[in-house]
Amino acid sequence: AQSVTQPDIHITVSEGASLELRCNYSYGATPYLFWYVQSPGQGLQLLLKYFSGDTLVQGIKGFEAEFKRSQSSFNLRKPSVHWSDAAEYFCAVGASNAGNMLTFGGGTRLMVKP
Amino acid sequence: GAVVSQHPSRVICKSGTSVKIECRSLDFQATTMFWYRQFPKQSLMLMATSNEGSKATYEQGVEKDKFLINHASLTLSTLTVTSAHPEDSSFYICSARGARSTDTQYFGPGTRLTVL
């Protein structure tokens, strides 16, 4: 069965600082990997996704993520955080043989200090 | 990107009543729709997967008779919470994608259900 672990429940960074949110997955084959962002009381917005090819994926809002098969990781990064980035971030893994059903990590709540 | 809407955004109902939540794909044909449940400060848990014109596939532990899912068209899926109880209070989120398994899932804004 597939699973996703986001080790950090909360992260606080200063505005302008760099950010890395960790995501580790467990899946038998090559996974489809996603990062979503959720603002309070809102649905999820897709930041980026990895299906195949270049392991460094660029997303919206200046985010990027790198797929590292050897580490079973798909960490999300941003070089300079803005106050508007404060939100909940979810990593998810999907399987092509399961209709791309998504399994979500527990989420990481990002707080940004002025 | 594609747009998925949910209606209502918030609903409060009395215990024992049934509540219907709609999920619509506004600008694409959603062959597959997913229903998730999210408890406060927790992650999303998949409840069921529905393919247009077929019966929904429910995840283990989800009561199919309590959470009725209908996906009668390529743009609309409904989740009906029957005989709702306070423990059914939650944030329900749907997502939709096209025919290919590599198609992106687009999420609706969610429906906050409160059962008194």
Side-chain angles (χ1 to χ4, degrees), chain B residues 76-89:
Chain B
L76 173 65
S77 175
T78 59
L79 167 67
T80 301
V81 183
T82 61
S83 186
H85 290 281
E87 58 266 28
D88 299 324
S89 299

Side-chain angles (χ1 to χ4, degrees), chain B residues 55-72:
Chain B
K55 287 186 178 180
T57 301
Y58 290 81
E59 293 301 300
Q60 192 172 13
V62 177
E63 299 174 61
K64 62 177 70 174
D65 294 329
K66 181 166 188 63
F67 297 100
L68 301 179
I69 292 172
N70 183 282
H71 190 169

